[in-house]
């Protein structure tokens, strides 16, 4: 009798859970050691599988296991194909939490056993039970698997105690179904990317550290187990300053049959570093030559924003093309415009600067951007370009300026019919570009640009980099015929591929998959709405006013909020007729209705209320006086991947005119 894959997976899971609970692996190791010591003849070189099974039967291990196995009917959570794997916490003293563990695969069990020397929090008081405090969260990415630790209170010695089970396999070799051996794993150069996020009491996130862990040292350790301390450095201007230390333990599971010598491991890592350094050196030599040629075309090119390298959060200069890669969102996002809306609702925040001196440059790796849920315009543009490339569009990141010469980045797509579309990643707006001809007579009517962009220095994606070498870098006169080398100077695609193609260098951060939202939209909408009702009632009480809520009128506001979000996503307005008709029926004769919608990308009700009061239209509704005043408020939360959300709020009132 054959089982369907999900049932077979559930059965394996239950068996492994029980085996871990009974510590069967530990008992087998003990019996194996005893058998080798007591029963193995001096002339024998190894113990056969048959001998081991006989020893296990003799000591009753197999009978004990069969007696203890109970097959329960718990439902197993089905994981969406597009959803990254959830954190798997593995504890030797307890059971392995429910997860699909394939006994034919190799796993790396990474434990975080506490932190120390987080000196910025040296004076942090011990939080009282139930008290809201700032927290640290550790986010990990390894070979398309995403993990997140439990939040722990910020302290000088944060109490991290989490375990993560990372699957190690080599799909590109066609051996995805075989257990990886030591030699195979040594050739897997992907690091474990760790990002430390601080969340304050208001829910604001800060990027504390970003670290790439080289895990392959465990392959040369005795029994495939090693302990290490990881020093985390700051980000941006503080990338040379230590922020703290994490104690970690790495263990291969199942244990390795054969470990490599540490010398072999070190030699492999040294060769990889040497190869990467040589590729990066050759690309730098080429980039310098390309730049000299670009300046020879026109000396004024020196003032154009031609960005070949950009610093990441760790202060490392990387080619800009390495920040973009075709990214598929699975079933989390259905259309390019929905992807643009998702990028738009991620928060905007410029890299912090200590003191004056203008903008601090910091292009974040994708994992750091997603985990923090906010970033600068370049981070938004890189993500949107990657998503549009994933949808099969010819997309590029544009680097130039907005009004007043402010540096900016946005996205451009080139249609098969030659249509050039600009996508503003911070707002989700789209603009069709129609170049003006500066040689036309003044009386000739020229298209007036609606976009906010002024100049453009270069465009790039994961395969191409082109510098604008037209006489003027003004966007409105720019012709985007990227195949015309008299207008756009290209870099060698082979040179870009040598340092930016997946797996080209070991220093290239791998792209993580997107995570499904963990926010319950209905529950969150209700919670924010109840908080706003309380805040409005308290505010009106301070003004000496009573508050009467009209539940039916509040409910009727829902279609309007859904229509606003639909319009933001698709640029199509729909459903207004039904909403207006319902309001006319709900508001009696002799009464007037007034509503005020507002949009946020955060879920802090108190902060949203304070912002609403700064609007004279909203303040008029909240502080309305008169006979038979009926107030209404409706909140609608729309969720997107990475737990990003668009929060729409509408305040309204119906009041008698008599």
């Amino acid at each position: 009798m054959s089982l369907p894959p999900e049932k077979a997976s559930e059965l394996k899971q239950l068996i492994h859970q029980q085996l871990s609970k009974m510590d069967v692996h530990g008992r087998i190791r003990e019996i194996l050691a005893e058998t080798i010591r007591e029963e193995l003849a001096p002339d024998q070189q190894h113990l056969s599988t048959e001998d081991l099974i006989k020893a296990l039967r003799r000591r009753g291990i197999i009978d004990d296991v069969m007696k203890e196995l109970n097959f329960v009917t718990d439902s197993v959570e089905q994981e969406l194909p597009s959803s990254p794997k959830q954190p798997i916490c593995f504890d030797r003293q307890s059971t392995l939490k429910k997860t699909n563990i394939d006994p034919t695969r190799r796993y790396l069990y990474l434990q975080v056993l506490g932190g120390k020397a987080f000196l910025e929090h040296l004076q942090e008081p011990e939080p009282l039970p139930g008290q809201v405090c700032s927290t640290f969260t550790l986010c990990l990415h390894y070979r398309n698997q995403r993990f997140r630790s439990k939040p722990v209170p910020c302290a000088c010695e944060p109490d991290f105690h989490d375990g993560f089970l990372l699957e190690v396999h080599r799909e590109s070799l066609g051996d995805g179904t075989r257990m990886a051996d030591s030699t195979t794993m040594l050739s897997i150069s992907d690091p474990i990317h760790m990002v430390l996020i601080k969340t304050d009491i208001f829910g604001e996130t800060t990027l504390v550290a970003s670290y790439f862990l080289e895990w392959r040292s465990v392959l040369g350790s005795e029994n495939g187990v090693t302990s290490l301390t990881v020093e985390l450095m700051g980000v941006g201007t503080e990338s040379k300053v230590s922020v703290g230390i994490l104690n970690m333990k790495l263990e291969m599971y199942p244990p390795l049959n054969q470990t490599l010598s540490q010398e072999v491991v070190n030699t492999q890592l040294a060769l990889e570093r040497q190869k990467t350094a040589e590729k990066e050196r050759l690309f730098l030599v080429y980039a310098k030559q390309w730049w000299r040629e670009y300046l020879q075309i026109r000396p004024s090119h020196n003032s154009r924003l031609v960005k070949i390298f950009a610093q990441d959060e760790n202060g490392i200069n990387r080619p800009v093309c390495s920040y973009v890669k075709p990214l598929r969102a699975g079933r989390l996002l259905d259309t390019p415009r929905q992807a643009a809306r998702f990028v738009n609702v991620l928060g905007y925040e410029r890299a912090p600067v200590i003191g004056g001196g203008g903008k601090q440059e910091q292009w974040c790796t994708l994992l750091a951007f997603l985990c923090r849920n906010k970033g600068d315009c370049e981070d938004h543009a890189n993500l949107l370009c990657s998503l549009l490339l994933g949808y099969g569009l010819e997309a590029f990141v544009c680097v130039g300026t907005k009004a007043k010469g402010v540096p900016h980045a946005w996205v451009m797509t080139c249609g098969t019919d030659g249509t050039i579309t600009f996508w503003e990643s911070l707002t989700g707006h789209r603009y069709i570009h129609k170049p003006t001809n500066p040689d036309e007579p003044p009386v000739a009517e020229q298209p007036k640009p609606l976009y906010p962009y002024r100049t453009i220095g270069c465009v790039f994606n994961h395969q191409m980099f082109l510098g604008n070498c037209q006489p003027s870098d003004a966007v409105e006169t720019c012709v985007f015929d990227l195949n015309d080398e008299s207008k756009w100077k290209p870099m060698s695609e082979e040179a870009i591929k040598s340092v930016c193609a997946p797996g080209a260098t070991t220093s290239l951060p791998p792209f993580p998959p997107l995570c499904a939202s963990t926010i319950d939209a209905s529950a969150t909408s209700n919670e924010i709405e109840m908080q706003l009702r309380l805040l409005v009632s308290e505010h009106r009480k301070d003004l000496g006013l009573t508050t009467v809520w009209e539940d039916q009128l509040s409910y009727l506001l829902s279609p309007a909020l859904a229509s606003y979000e639909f319009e933001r996503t698709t640029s199509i307005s729909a459903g207004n007729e039904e909403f207006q008709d319902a309001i006319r029926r709900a508001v009696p004769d002799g009464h007037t209705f007034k509503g005020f919608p507002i949009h946020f990308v955060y879920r802090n009700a108190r902060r949203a209320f304070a912002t609403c009061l700064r609007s004279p239209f909203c303040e008029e509704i909240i502080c309305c006086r008169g006979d038979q005043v009926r107030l209404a408020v409706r909140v609608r939360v729309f969720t997107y991947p990475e737990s990003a959300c668009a929060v729409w709020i509408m305040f309204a009132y119906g009041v008698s005119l008599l």
Side-chain angles (χ1 to χ4, degrees), residues 134-138 148-154 159-160 162 197 199:
S134 299
T135 59
F136 283 137
T137 306
L138 191 63
R148 181 182 289 264
S149 73
K150 296 187 292 289
V152 299
C154 293
D159 189 27
F160 286 110
D162 275 297
I197 300 293
T199 307

Side-chain angles (χ1 to χ4, degrees), residues 402-573:
K402 294 195 298 184
K404 299 181 181 178
V406 176
H408 191 62
W410 66 97
V411 178
M412 172 185 78
T413 53
C414 305
T416 53
D417 60 354
T419 301
I420 301 298
T421 306
F422 293 149
W423 303 63
E424 177 47 62
S425 58
L426 296 180
T427 63
H429 294 160
R430 298 165 66 254
Y431 309 95
I432 302 298
H433 171 66
K434 295 179 180 177
T436 59
N437 187 349
D439 299 327
E440 287 282 340
V443 293
E445 187 176 351
Q446 298 276 16
K448 187 176 181 181
L450 301 175
Y451 44 77
Y453 317 121
R454 294 293 178 266
T455 67
I456 181 167
C458 64
V459 300
F460 67 88
N461 61 19
H462 62 303
Q463 293 176 328
M464 300 171 67
F465 182 96
L466 301 111
N468 181 7
C469 54
Q470 297 172 61
S472 170
D473 62 352
V475 178
E476 60 184 3
T477 62
C478 195
V479 176
F480 288 92
D481 181 2
L482 302 182
N483 295 316
D484 187 346
E485 294 193 12
S486 68
K487 294 181 172 61
W488 295 93
K489 178 173 174 56
M491 270 195 172
S492 161
E493 291 189 26
E494 284 301 314
I496 293 171
K497 191 176 180 180
S498 70
V499 289
C500 297
T505 65
T506 54
S507 63
L508 198 63
F511 265 48
L514 295 182
C515 264
S517 177
T518 58
I519 297 172
D520 185 328
S522 298
T524 307
S525 300
N526 287 336
E527 182 182 349
I528 297 174
E529 190 171 309
M530 290 300 105
Q531 291 176 5
L532 287 175
R533 283 196 177 199
L534 183 61
L535 290 167
V536 170
S537 298
E538 289 177 349
H539 184 74
R540 288 177 60 84
K541 185 178 179 181
D542 292 341
L543 299 175
L545 302 172
T546 58
T547 305
V548 179
W549 294 102
E550 179 63 61
D551 289 341
Q552 176 62 13
L553 184 59
S554 296
Y555 179 71
L556 294 183
L557 303 179
S558 294
L561 301 183
S563 176
Y564 299 147
E565 181 62 21
F566 182 76
E567 186 174 356
R568 285 288 181 101
T569 304
T570 63
S571 302
I572 299 171
S573 179

Side-chain angles (χ1 to χ4, degrees), residues 9-10 13 76-77 79 85 98-102 107:
S9 177
E10 180 180 356
Q13 175 181 328
V76 177
E77 293 183 6
E79 186 176 36
K85 297 186 178 181
K98 273 191 178 179
T99 183
N100 296 331
I101 293 185
D102 187 340
Y107 295 89

Side-chain angles (χ1 to χ4, degrees), residues 127-133:
L128 299 172
Q131 179 186 359
V132 178
C133 62

Side-chain angles (χ1 to χ4, degrees), residues 167-270:
E167 186 177 332
V168 183
H169 56 95
R170 188 69 185 250
E171 296 166 331
S172 60
L173 294 179
D175 295 338
T177 58
R178 289 174 51 189
M179 183 179 291
D181 58 18
S182 300
T183 307
T184 302
M185 288 189 288
L186 186 60
S187 67
I188 301 176
S189 60
D190 297 292
I192 300 170
H193 191 185
M194 305 192 305
V195 168
L196 184 62
I197 300 293
K198 178 183 176 181
T199 307
D200 67 16
I201 58 175
F202 303 107
E204 291 296 308
T205 55
T206 307
L207 177 62
V208 178
S210 175
Y211 184 84
F212 293 93
L213 176 66
E214 177 51 73
W215 58 273
R216 286 175 289 175
S217 60
V218 72
L219 301 177
S221 304
E222 187 177 356
N223 301 323
V225 180
T226 186
S227 297
L228 65 156
T229 57
V230 170
E231 183 179 18
L232 301 178
M233 309 302 284
V235 296
T237 55
E238 301 177 28
S239 60
K240 306 298 182 187
V241 180
S242 174
V243 295
I245 293 172
L246 292 179
N247 296 319
M248 309 183 78
K249 182 179 178 183
L250 302 177
E251 180 177 358
M252 299 309 303
Y253 181 83
L256 295 173
N257 296 325
Q258 178 185 9
T259 58
L260 304 172
S261 72
Q262 199 63 54
E263 185 181 358
V264 169
V265 175
N266 292 340
T267 302
Q268 172 70 15
L269 300 183

Side-chain angles (χ1 to χ4, degrees), residues 248-457:
M248 309 183 78
K249 182 179 178 183
L250 302 177
E251 180 177 358
M252 299 309 303
Y253 181 83
L256 295 173
N257 296 325
Q258 178 185 9
T259 58
L260 304 172
S261 72
Q262 199 63 54
E263 185 181 358
V264 169
V265 175
N266 292 340
T267 302
Q268 172 70 15
L269 300 183
L271 285 171
E272 288 178 1
R273 284 193 294 268
Q274 184 180 349
K275 186 178 177 182
T276 294
E278 180 61 15
K279 285 185 176 182
E280 291 175 346
R281 186 190 68 81
L282 290 174
F283 181 78
L284 180 60
V285 169
Y286 170 76
K288 286 181 176 179
Q289 177 62 29
W290 183 93
W291 178 246
R292 283 194 293 270
E293 294 172 359
Y294 181 71
L295 292 182
Q296 287 170 1
I297 297 173
R298 203 173 283 110
S300 60
H301 286 178
N302 192 43
S303 61
R304 296 189 180 184
L305 278 177
V306 179
K307 195 80 178 161
I308 303 174
F309 295 92
Q311 283 191 355
D312 65 12
E313 66 266 23
N314 291 324
I316 297 173
N317 272 317
R318 291 170 42 207
V320 292
C321 296
S322 68
Y323 289 89
V324 174
K325 174 191 169 185
L327 181 63
R328 292 168 57 178
R331 300 188 187 277
L332 301 178
L333 297 167
D334 295 321
T335 67
R337 296 195 186 189
Q338 195 178 17
R341 178 57 173 159
F342 156 59
V343 176
N344 158 221
V345 299
L346 291 170
Y348 169 63
E349 181 181 83
R350 295 176 63 174
V353 181
I354 299 175
K359 180 181 176 182
Q360 167 68 30
E361 180 186 77
Q362 180 179 302
W363 291 30
C364 281
T365 56
L366 182 55
L367 183 67
F369 177 39
L370 295 176
C371 293
R372 190 170 52 140
N373 247 205
K374 58 185 176 185
D376 212 332
C377 61
E378 294 88 358
D379 303 323
H380 286 79
N382 290 334
L383 175 56
L384 178 56
C385 183
S386 297
L387 288 167
L388 296 182
L389 287 168
Y391 282 110
L393 301 180
E394 186 180 10
F396 297 86
V397 175
C398 303
V399 179
T401 63
K402 294 195 298 184
K404 299 181 181 178
V406 176
H408 191 62
W410 66 97
V411 178
M412 172 185 78
T413 53
C414 305
T416 53
D417 60 354
T419 301
I420 301 298
T421 306
F422 293 149
W423 303 63
E424 177 47 62
S425 58
L426 296 180
T427 63
H429 294 160
R430 298 165 66 254
Y431 309 95
I432 302 298
H433 171 66
K434 295 179 180 177
T436 59
N437 187 349
D439 299 327
E440 287 282 340
V443 293
E445 187 176 351
Q446 298 276 16
K448 187 176 181 181
L450 301 175
Y451 44 77
Y453 317 121
R454 294 293 178 266
T455 67
I456 181 167

